[in-house]
Amino acid sequence: QQAQSMGIINYEAYAAFAPSKDLKIEPQSVTPAMVAQVKGAAEPEQPAYWNSAKGKNVIIVQLEAFQNFLVDLKIDGKEITPNMNALVHDHFYFPHFFQQVGQGNTADAEFVVNTSLYVPPNGAASEIYADRALPSMPKLLGANGYQTATFHTNSVIFWNRDQLYKALGWGKYYDDKFFGKSDLVSFGASDEVLYAKTAEELARFQESGKPFYAQIISMSGHHPFRIPAAKFKMELPKRYKGTLVGDYIQSQNYADYALGQFIDELKKNGVWDNSVIVLYGDHQGLPIYSLNNKEKKLMKEIYSRDYSLPDMMNIPLVISVPNEQPQVFQQVGGQSDIYPTVANLIGVPLKDQVIFGRDILNQTANVLPERYYLPSGSFITAKGAFVPGSGYADGITYPLEGGKVAKPLDAKSEYDKAHRLISMSDEFVSSLPAVSGSGDKTAPGQESK
């Protein structure tokens, strides 16, 4: 709103030099108890699903640019993501789940998921926070007997991941030196190569007799979504050809095909049935502000209404838990909620660790502060995505299911809560000690801590 009234050039100059809207927080006040108090929801004494996957492997698959509208989408009768659809219908599915990334996009998603902290106000978390000794899921699971490893077909130095991985405490990482440079799609080896080689490695991990935590970062669905013609698994309708929306759908159809191969291999080698599997999108693929009128019309065809801001930020979350029945959870969640949710499933307590997410198997109310894709002070709740103007009073809430409301739907207390939580996260990370030996380099598949 400010940009519209001031003009984009004037607004960018204003934003660059405007004072921070973050609240002043004393770092020593950021404790698990204080965060819980601000969040305002007590943890149940006997949480549902606690320890239901004790001793199981944990596999987290981060799907590049995968938005929730792809789930069950058919175009002219053609199912776009049949493998993801099968997962959604056979396991736990959270349709109201949202990205919480900043300028680091994919690397930010890795950071948020593994720390349950928020991204910095400026810059990528992998560059701004990589010199901190970060409390993390790799460290916690490692301390509880898990092997830990992360897999990505790009170079580990991209987005400063070599330093981020040390800060997160990953036991091993695998990058392009492990996956090679054959069968290139986007910035690295194809998802087919990623999944095939990773499945073999995970089988070896399981043979060791120790549980493992592995994160797999897919990449074939990366912008600008122009996969090689040899990878096409569907014929686009004529009206979609030559559009960003059509290219996106084509690339995600291929990414889903590769994901299906991975699932099949994990089921064959015995890893699937012995693992908690978590799948989610890392960030949006089709920003509203990048679509031309024809592309917006295609999105309206897909949604049967105008494509909205919450739609853009809506990503799926699917969790496969051995021996649990399919269920759809309607509560709002975000990437910061994955860590506490996984910890609950495998029975590892988090009471002494500062986290900003919630175990969304046991909490139905949520406030998700947002940065970068929305102005400072924005947040998402079950009522929608709130975007401030100069402050709360002139803000707008965009309902989750489309439409526009020209006044806030949430109470100002929710706005204040989002502000306080994100400011607390900033101060907490800034107060963490520096990582020792943060300048060291390591080889792929070798110790990274």
Side-chain angles (χ1 to χ4, degrees):
Q1 290 183 31
Q2 286 176 310
Q4 288 176 346
S5 63
M6 297 172 69
I8 189 62
I9 301 300
N10 289 338
Y11 175 75
E12 288 188 349
Y14 158 80
F17 295 101
S20 171
K21 292 185 178 182
D22 281 4
L23 305 175
K24 297 297 182 184
I25 304 288
E26 292 297 325
Q28 61 270 23
S29 71
V30 185
T31 63
M34 182 55 67
V35 174
Q37 180 180 325
V38 174
K39 286 192 293 189
E43 296 296 328
E45 289 187 14
Q46 294 184 322
Y49 304 103
W50 169 258
N51 214 21
S52 61
K54 180 178 176 61
K56 299 297 185 184
N57 306 317
V58 175
I59 301 173
I60 290 183
V61 183
Q62 182 169 293
L63 300 168
E64 174 63 41
F66 197 102
Q67 290 184 226
N68 193 55
F69 77 86
L70 294 165
V71 172
D72 285 337
L73 175 64
K74 290 184 179 180
I75 295 180
D76 293 355
K78 169 69 176 179
E79 196 174 15
I80 304 304
T81 58
N83 294 298
M84 189 65 169
N85 297 346
L87 293 170
V88 161
H89 296 298
D90 292 343
H91 303 289
F92 292 172
Y93 171 48
F94 297 79
H96 300 126
F97 196 75
F98 294 89
Q99 69 178 54
Q100 290 181 283
V101 301
Q103 287 176 260
N105 279 318
T106 299
D108 275 357
E110 293 176 73
F111 168 82
V112 174
V113 166
N114 281 293
T115 63
S116 194
L117 302 170
Y118 302 133
V119 294
N122 297 292
S126 58
E127 295 174 341
I128 305 300
Y129 290 161
D131 63 341
R132 303 287 99 183
L134 300 166
S136 72
M137 185 153 42
K139 289 178 182 176
L140 183 72
L141 271 61
N144 281 271
Y146 277 69
Q147 308 168 73
T148 66
T150 182
F151 299 79
H152 194 313
T153 59
N154 203 345
S155 169
V156 74
I157 64 172
F158 192 68
W159 277 124
N160 200 40
R161 279 189 176 91
D162 55 337
Q163 304 307 310
L164 175 65
Y165 290 168
K166 289 187 183 72
L168 293 174
W170 283 108
K172 295 181 179 180
Y173 69 78
Y174 297 77
D175 71 346
D176 60 350
K177 291 183 175 63
F178 174 77
F179 290 105
K181 299 182 184 296
S182 63
D183 197 33
L184 294 177
V185 175
S186 189
F187 299 108
S190 70
D191 280 1
E192 290 173 87
V193 172
L194 166 71
Y195 291 136
K197 290 194 170 186
T198 298
E200 292 177 359
E201 200 71 1
L202 298 186
R204 282 192 282 271
F205 287 177
Q206 182 157 281
E207 288 169 4
S208 74
K210 288 180 62 178
F212 63 80
Y213 165 36
Q215 184 168 36
I216 298 102
I217 313 298
S218 76
M219 198 163 59
S220 291
H222 201 287
H223 186 274
F225 316 120
R226 296 196 182 102
I227 62 173
K231 298 293 185 187
F232 290 179
K233 303 299 177 185
M234 65 174 291
E235 177 70 21
L236 278 173
K238 185 176 180 181
R239 64 190 181 280
Y240 281 86
K241 290 184 177 179
T243 69
L244 184 65
V245 174
D247 290 345
Y248 175 78
I249 287 169
Q250 186 106 61
S251 68
Q252 294 299 345
N253 173 255
Y254 165 69
D256 180 78
Y257 163 81
L259 176 64
Q261 291 187 323
F262 185 50
I263 294 166
D264 289 345
E265 192 56 40
L266 293 185
K267 289 180 177 179
K268 287 177 187 175
N269 66 20
V271 170
W272 182 273
D273 289 337
N274 195 39
S275 304
V276 172
I277 318 281
V278 180
L279 304 98
Y280 63 92
D282 61 353
H283 55 75
Q284 54 77 25
L286 294 173
I288 292 174
Y289 38 79
S290 293
L291 303 181
N292 60 32
N293 288 335
K294 180 180 180 181
E295 290 160 345
K296 288 178 181 177
K297 185 177 179 181
L298 291 172
M299 294 304 290
K300 189 170 185 177
E301 173 189 320
I302 288 169
Y303 277 95
S304 299
R305 57 172 173 77
D306 288 336
Y307 180 51
S308 71
L309 186 148
D311 298 329
M312 179 183 82
M313 302 183 73
N314 183 203
I315 55 177
L317 172 66
V318 178
I319 305 177
S320 168
V321 184
N323 304 314
E324 294 292 346
Q325 296 301 307
Q327 189 172 347
V328 178
F329 295 83
Q330 297 293 346
Q331 54 260 46
V332 164
Q335 289 163 331
S336 60
D337 299 321
I338 290 177
Y339 182 8
T341 303
V342 168
N344 176 62
L345 287 168
I346 62 174
V348 177
L350 283 172
K351 291 182 179 178
D352 296 327
Q353 191 163 130
V354 171
I355 58 167
F356 288 85
R358 292 179 169 179
D359 166 17
I360 52 173
L361 291 169
N362 287 280
Q363 298 285 355
T364 55
N366 217 340
V367 175
L368 305 175
E370 295 288 351
R371 270 183 168 156
Y372 183 58
Y373 284 93
L374 297 176
S376 179
S378 301
F379 62 91
I380 296 174
T381 69
K383 292 184 178 179
F386 173 77
V387 180
S390 57
Y392 169 78
D394 59 344
I396 291 176
T397 298
Y398 296 83
L400 299 186
E401 305 301 333
K404 182 176 178 179
V405 176
K407 62 180 181 180
L409 286 180
D410 274 297
K412 187 173 183 296
S413 59
E414 298 294 90
Y415 172 75
D416 293 338
K417 181 188 296 185
H419 252 311
R420 181 160 291 277
L421 287 171
I422 209 161
S423 300
M424 290 170 76
S425 178
D426 291 347
E427 288 299 329
F428 174 73
V429 178
S430 297
S431 71
L432 293 171
V435 177
S436 60
S438 60
D440 298 337
K441 304 288 182 180
T442 56
Q446 301 301 314
E447 295 294 322
S448 65
K449 59 184 177 183

